[in-house]
Amino acid sequence: MGDEQGILSELSQAIIKGQPEVARAKTQESLARGVDPFVTIQAMQKAMSIVGVYYEQKLYYLTEMYMGAQAVQAAGEVLRPYLKGRAGEAGRIILGTVRNDIHDVGKNLVRIVLEANGFEVHDLGVNVPSQTFLQKARELDADIIGMSSLLTISMSEMEKTIKALAEAGLAGEILTMVGGAPLSQAFADKIGADAYARDAAEAVRAAQALVQRRRGTGA
Ligand code: B12
């Protein structure tokens, strides 16, 4: 409906222009008008990818890119309570951005959508060393370790965690799921990850399949 399109386009503009306060207010307005939070999240992802394109085309500098990310985070925090706890416990996930990488917009969206689908998510934040992923996963008896990487130079960190899991005899016991713009299924296969997902919606399907596999094999 026109009303929904109008408010979502205002939200997108706030992200593209890097205005966190406006983004927050527009998200509140979208909720008040009854727009489905999942539809709002999709609009947010699209707007952020436009910011990425502007940066790649050198129309935007780092500051604009940063402010765009701040606006997405502000909008995401407004949506989070409305999405949380819709379902029961679907599984336990340790999530983080790998070492040397501070990008967290995509990871945070993945967290929101996983939580909305009944997963318990422990977010370790950014710049997370492989040993920390491993320690936390053991400590909390996690089903899955989810790792995000947006930099080609930090992608190799994921393989370190997967190797560390294997060395600890936990391969197949704690499963791994990877994502981030520079990744691909081929890369995930190469490093031995149990799953790869292109976006937040796919991440939910992949996580559900992994939990089923883990519990189905009696782990
Ligand atoms: C915003 C942004 C920033 C912000 C980050 C703010 C923040 N809090 O995250 C700031 C300004 C800080 C930043 C910094 C830098 N950035 Co930057 N950044 C971006 C930008 C524009 C958008 C990333 C983003 O938020 N996308 C939107 C989200 C929704 O998408 P996403 O992250 O891909 O996530 C989705 C999927 O990938 C998936 N997913 C993500 N994580 C996970 C995890 C799991 C488990 C699963 C299953 C799925 C999944 O689901 C998500 C939701 O759909 C990209 C450009 C781009 N096109 O990606 C560059 C980009 C990633 N940055 C880049 C660079 C180079 C940098 C800097 C090194 C710049 C510099 N010179 O300092 C620094 C990095 C510092 C560091 N050590 O990390 C390059 C990377 C190039 C490369 N190949 O390595 C890019 C590609 C820009 C470019 N074309 O040059 N950046």
Side-chain angles (χ1 to χ4, degrees):
M1 80 191 153
D3 203 30
E4 174 170 323
Q5 281 313 316
I7 186 73
L8 291 181
S9 114
E10 284 169 18
L11 170 59
S12 301
Q13 282 306 315
I15 291 168
I16 293 166
K17 290 183 189 159
Q19 302 166 321
E21 284 315 315
V22 181
R24 188 176 287 128
K26 295 296 167 192
T27 309
Q28 268 151 359
E29 210 176 313
S30 78
L31 286 165
R33 292 196 196 178
V35 181
D36 182 338
F38 286 101
V39 175
T40 307
I41 282 204
Q42 279 164 4
M44 284 159 52
Q45 289 180 31
K46 224 188 237 171
M48 196 61 217
S49 65
I50 293 173
V51 174
V53 170
Y54 286 178
Y55 180 72
E56 274 154 27
Q57 294 176 341
K58 306 212 181 331
L59 294 169
Y60 273 10
Y61 294 103
L62 266 182
T63 317
E64 282 117 338
M65 193 159 76
Y66 178 76
M67 288 314 292
Q70 293 290 97
V72 174
Q73 311 274 37
E77 282 309 310
V78 174
L79 286 183
R80 208 169 151 221
Y82 291 86
L83 288 162
K84 220 174 159 177
R86 268 195 185 172
E89 197 190 312
R92 192 172 297 139
I93 302 183
I94 303 293
L95 187 66
T97 300
V98 298
R99 197 164 71 97
N100 293 330
D101 196 336
I102 60 161
H103 293 87
D104 65 357
V105 174
K107 167 187 71 66
N108 293 347
L109 290 179
V110 167
R111 180 188 74 198
I112 290 172
V113 178
L114 283 171
E115 284 177 345
N117 282 276
F119 285 92
E120 182 186 323
V121 181
H122 295 266
D123 189 348
L124 305 184
V126 297
N127 192 23
V128 180
S130 56
Q131 285 303 328
T132 309
F133 278 114
L134 183 60
Q135 267 164 26
K136 275 283 162 192
R138 289 179 106 155
E139 193 182 308
L140 297 165
D141 186 26
D143 295 290
I144 300 170
I145 293 177
M147 290 177 280
S148 180
S149 164
L150 266 285
L151 296 174
T152 40
I153 53 150
S154 67
M155 283 160 65
S156 56
E157 285 294 321
M158 297 176 155
E159 191 171 11
K160 285 191 191 160
T161 308
I162 293 167
K163 281 194 173 143
L165 270 172
E167 278 159 21
L170 293 167
E173 175 79 20
I174 296 171
L175 301 173
T176 53
M177 178 167 85
V178 296
L183 273 72
S184 62
Q185 183 66 55
F187 175 79
D189 292 342
K190 191 175 132 236
I191 63 170
D194 295 297
Y196 159 74
R198 206 163 33 110
D199 57 31
E202 257 186 37
V204 171
R205 286 192 288 275
Q208 284 165 340
L210 288 184
V211 169
Q212 226 167 41
R213 179 175 134 196
R214 184 177 187 244
R215 296 188 178 171
T217 51

